[in-house]
Amino acid sequence: MAKQNAVTKKSDVKKVGYFARLRHDLAINKSLYLILLVPVLWYAIFAYGPMYGALMAFQKFNARLGIGGSPWVGFDNFVRFFSDPYFTRDLINTLRISIASVVFYFPMPIIFALLINEIDSRRFVKVVQTITYIPHFISLVVVCGMIKTFVASDGIITTLVSSITGIEFKESLLNNANLFTTIFVGSDIWQNIAWSSIIYIAAIMGVEQQLYEAAAIDGAGRLRQVWYVTLPSILPTIITMLILRMGSIFSVNNEKILLLINQLNAEQGETLSYYIYKKGITNADYSLSSAAGLFNSVINLVFVVATNYISKKCSDTYLW
Amino acid sequence: MWKKSKSRRIFEVFNVLFMFFMMFIMLYPLIFVLNASFSDSNALIRNGGAPLWLPLEPTANAYVMTFKNPLIVSGYLNTIFIVIAGTLVSVIMSAMCAYPLSKRGLMLNGIITKLIMFTMMFGGGLIPFYLLVKNLGLTDNLWGLIIPTAISTYNMIVLRTGFAAVPESLSESALIDGAGHMTILFKIMIPLAKASFAVIALYYGVAYWNSWFHASIFLQRDSKQWPLQLVLRQILIMNDVQTGETAIDQQQNIAESIKYAVIVVATVPILCVYPFIQKYFTKGVMVGAVKG
């Protein structure tokens, strides 16, 4: 008994083995661990299960034989994937849409938040926010349905574009591959600019009022206050959001692609995740699709880790 | 405070005008859809791409046709089931995950949290996930749209943050009084972390309401099982591909205004509850942002 009591002394804790401590921990917190068991099992099955299943990327997978029985083929599926002429095209399409989104979409909510912040009437701000958030709550299927009808040959957007540019369009703008990225990113801005600005508005509201007062005493006008006080203060938020965004530079919202793609715009609209969908679900070429999927997952992971690392080195902002 | 300079005033006027412009851009497409849904199809086609300020030759025919479509009705019922059952399952599972993880002093919490966070950054991919669900016999079954996607790690973390803010002493004293952890979770934590619960319940609810992709790959046998969004995709997206835009037969004319009516029917419920739930959503964005 005396020995057991001694365990509680800090200097002795190290002497007790990890597994002994673990057993003790499991015993006293049994009911908590039992609760946790259900979600942990869920993660094991539905999050880690597919990671095990991804091994089929290295197999000539046969559904009847399963992962255990299918023959291993090394990197054959990856060779098939990389030598597919669509691979390069789809990779470029993915990057084109992603980079366009970072360049054109990403700054928009920040600008919107700064402009909202310049409105003095709280009530007007509330009205603007309530109304501009609405598109975010419309389902993606409906938004894409609206896009389709609006950019059809006689759609309202097509008519508007025609009257501005003077070009007559005989068919839907969606059938023009060169316009795919514009439509994709443009509708994203419409749907989410205000919603994405919430986080920046919150950051701006957190800026200390004294900073503005000090800047004003130093003779800074409103524009300079924004440039020298507001922006530096919300920079950590901006960088965090940029890290998150850069981490997913190789993934484009596949559901939206699926809703907007057709045979005529696939030249610029088909992304890697669409390729994975097409090969896997439509053509049932499971091994090839898994190889492409694994490539995509790994590259995404590398990008999240890399952007976080770079940001950690260059600034003080990082996610972990 | 300070007196406003002239340039400042001019800026403010333009800023307010810009905000009105933004509100117009956000609202007009919806007003157009509403007007078009109450318009006569032929008038709509004659109108072409001109803006609509009022319905043309007002009629509710499109709505009659919409509700005659059996898939719309079954889609609605399926979606209601998925949203209610799914949100319940998801919230309970998330709570069961978040509550133990919010406790300090569990030895395994660190490693389990790391393993869970890792799944946010890396996944097995679409096909392994699809085959897994198929092998578990969850395809062609509405539960297959709920169980495999029951926990969203992001929402779980929002909830964990909410739990962590509840003082430890409360659950400790309940433990001393003989309450089990399940009782504490449902009797103490849920009422005290009410805001976090509301936030994630809404997030889950909206996600279930909007989801269609898994339904499109898991429910291939019977379109009677389809949720509303998948039916909408069939009407709004798929039809369009086959019917040439120049064909002007009667069938297609009706389809023109039906599309708009379908959009209204599918969007109005969300927009009706939206004003009441908006603040919880905004709160959710903040909580998630703090915790990352």
Side-chain angles (χ1 to χ4, degrees):
Chain A
M1 279 314 283
K3 245 186 182 173
Q4 263 186 9
N5 285 338
V7 169
T8 51
K9 271 194 208 160
K10 205 164 185 200
S11 57
D12 287 336
V13 167
K14 279 191 194 112
K15 288 177 194 159
V16 181
Y18 176 81
F19 288 102
R21 279 187 293 140
L22 184 60
R23 208 178 307 138
H24 180 68
D25 177 56
L26 286 175
I28 58 168
N29 293 312
K30 199 170 113 194
S31 52
L32 277 177
Y33 278 121
L34 277 177
I35 295 175
L36 192 55
L37 187 64
V38 180
V40 163
L41 277 178
W42 182 90
Y43 272 104
I45 295 169
F46 291 107
Y48 282 89
M51 290 187 210
Y52 167 73
L55 286 176
M56 73 178 71
F58 303 97
Q59 294 181 325
K60 190 173 163 45
F61 181 72
N62 180 326
R64 202 167 34 83
L65 300 172
I67 300 276
S70 297
W72 297 89
V73 294
F75 285 91
D76 281 9
N77 296 312
F78 289 90
V79 172
R80 265 205 301 151
F81 171 50
F82 293 133
S83 55
D84 190 329
Y86 288 131
F87 164 68
T88 329
R89 185 192 81 173
D90 293 354
L91 186 68
I92 291 171
N93 287 343
T94 308
L95 284 176
R96 183 192 303 112
I97 296 171
S98 254
I99 291 170
S101 159
V102 171
V103 172
F104 295 103
Y105 176 94
F106 187 80
M108 292 293 180
I110 303 171
I111 297 169
F112 189 68
L114 290 173
L115 288 177
I116 285 226
N117 189 48
E118 295 300 318
I119 297 172
D120 290 331
S121 157
R122 284 292 104 193
R123 191 181 287 169
F124 186 58
V125 167
K126 268 254 144 9
V127 172
V128 172
Q129 286 182 307
T130 306
I131 287 180
T132 49
Y133 292 163
I134 286 177
H136 176 80
F137 290 89
I138 301 173
S139 76
L140 195 56
V141 176
V142 167
V143 167
C144 291
M146 280 162 65
I147 295 171
K148 268 199 118 133
T149 39
F150 290 165
V151 303
S153 58
D154 60 347
I156 184 165
I157 291 178
T158 314
T159 315
L160 187 69
V161 174
S162 284
S163 66
I164 292 170
T165 61
I167 305 167
E168 281 292 316
F169 297 98
K170 290 207 173 57
E171 51 175 6
S172 167
L173 300 185
L174 263 182
N175 293 352
N176 184 340
N178 293 322
L179 292 175
F180 189 86
T181 308
T182 312
I183 294 172
F184 191 94
V185 176
S187 54
D188 252 5
I189 295 175
W190 176 76
Q191 198 183 2
N192 293 317
I193 176 177
W195 185 255
S196 313
S197 73
I198 293 176
I199 203 155
Y200 300 113
I201 292 173
I204 291 171
M205 289 203 294
V207 179
E208 287 208 35
Q209 216 53 42
Q210 285 110 308
L211 290 175
Y212 291 112
E213 281 160 25
I217 289 165
D218 288 346
R222 284 293 272 261
L223 196 62
R224 280 174 172 239
Q225 289 179 26
V226 167
W227 187 254
Y228 289 107
V229 178
T230 316
L231 273 178
S233 306
I234 65 169
L235 199 60
T237 311
I238 296 177
I239 292 177
T240 309
M241 298 312 282
L242 195 60
I243 295 175
L244 288 172
R245 186 64 197 82
M246 293 307 287
S248 58
I249 198 96
F250 275 93
S251 54
V252 169
N253 183 352
N254 192 37
E255 296 196 359
K256 194 165 179 183
I257 295 283
L258 276 168
L259 292 168
L260 292 180
I261 205 164
N262 63 32
Q263 280 153 348
L264 295 167
N265 64 28
E267 198 50 43
Q268 291 203 17
E270 190 178 308
T271 56
L272 280 182
S273 38
Y274 185 80
Y275 179 93
I276 294 163
Y277 170 84
K278 188 179 70 178
K279 291 293 175 194
I281 303 292
T282 316
N283 302 358
D285 191 342
Y286 294 152
S287 291
L288 178 62
S289 176
S290 297
L294 200 55
F295 169 77
N296 210 14
S297 295
V298 168
I299 214 164
N300 276 331
L301 181 64
V302 168
F303 256 74
V304 182
V305 174
T307 39
N308 187 58
Y309 178 80
I310 292 168
S311 169
K312 206 170 177 173
K313 288 275 154 193
C314 301
S315 69
D316 288 336
T317 316
Y318 53 89
L319 298 177
W320 70 87
Chain B
M1 296 239 311
W2 299 284
K3 219 180 138 204
K4 284 176 184 168
S5 67
K6 198 174 167 192
S7 61
R8 173 72 195 166
R9 284 230 193 88
I10 295 173
F11 165 77
E12 279 184 355
V13 168
F14 273 100
N15 196 19
V16 167
L17 285 179
F18 174 75
M19 289 302 159
F20 275 110
F21 172 73
M22 288 295 282
M23 288 192 278
F24 175 76
I25 295 275
M26 300 296 172
L27 275 186
Y28 185 71
L30 306 179
I31 295 170
F32 180 93
V33 167
L34 193 63
N35 283 334
S37 72
F38 283 107
S39 296
D40 179 72
S41 284
N42 290 317
L44 214 53
I45 287 174
R46 277 199 304 278
N47 181 58
L52 283 181
W53 303 106
L54 281 172
L56 300 168
E57 300 172 27
T59 160
N61 272 346
Y63 287 93
V64 176
M65 295 294 288
T66 301
F67 284 109
K68 268 189 191 160
N69 184 339
L71 280 186
I72 294 274
V73 179
S74 64
Y76 241 108
L77 295 175
N78 291 331
T79 293
I80 289 171
F81 170 77
I82 293 166
V83 168
I84 293 175
T87 307
L88 264 176
V89 169
S90 289
V91 167
I92 291 172
M93 285 286 279
S94 304
M96 289 173 75
C97 192
Y99 177 63
L101 289 183
S102 72
K103 294 276 168 202
R104 255 156 283 152
L106 293 199
M107 273 176 77
L108 293 181
N109 270 4
I111 178 85
I112 291 174
T113 307
K114 282 202 185 81
L115 286 171
I116 288 177
M117 296 296 238
F118 180 67
T119 64
M120 283 179 103
M121 296 186 288
F122 189 80
L126 175 67
I127 289 304
F129 181 72
Y130 168 73
L131 290 177
L132 174 77
V133 174
K134 208 173 165 179
N135 288 338
L136 290 173
L138 286 169
T139 45
D140 296 308
N141 180 340
L142 286 187
W143 288 105
L145 305 182
I146 294 173
I147 294 168
T149 49
I151 302 180
S152 137
T153 303
Y154 177 87
N155 289 349
M156 193 276 289
I157 291 169
V158 168
L159 195 56
R160 196 189 62 174
T161 313
F163 284 161
V166 176
E168 190 88 7
S169 54
L170 278 174
S171 52
E172 269 166 18
S173 55
L175 272 181
I176 292 167
D177 288 346
H181 278 293
M182 270 309 208
T183 323
I184 294 174
L185 177 54
F186 284 99
K187 292 268 167 65
I188 296 179
M189 296 315 262
I190 292 186
L192 282 177
K194 206 165 48 189
S196 308
F197 267 97
V199 167
I200 73 157
L202 286 170
Y203 273 7
Y204 278 126
V206 170
Y208 280 118
W209 170 273
N210 284 339
S211 72
W212 61 272
F213 177 65
H214 285 148
S216 78
I217 57 176
F218 293 155
L219 305 178
Q220 295 192 327
R221 201 177 296 158
D222 185 5
S223 57
K224 276 267 173 278
Q225 289 185 317
W226 285 3
L228 183 63
Q229 300 297 328
L230 194 54
V231 178
L232 290 181
R233 170 176 174 253
Q234 195 70 18
I235 296 171
L236 297 174
I237 311 285
M238 308 301 256
N239 270 6
D240 202 81
V241 181
Q242 297 142 357
T243 53
E245 288 186 359
T246 42
I248 320 178
D249 61 295
Q250 189 60 31
Q251 202 65 33
Q252 213 217 321
N253 283 2
I254 297 168
E256 188 67 24
S257 58
I258 285 185
K259 279 188 185 174
Y260 295 107
V262 164
I263 292 179
V264 174
V265 165
T267 310
V268 160
I270 284 274
L271 291 190
C272 283
V273 291
Y274 159 70
F276 305 103
I277 60 181
Q278 183 207 344
K279 70 168 185 193
Y280 287 107
F281 273 97
T282 328
K283 208 178 276 169
V285 174
M286 313 288 192
V287 178
V290 174
K291 232 17 225 180

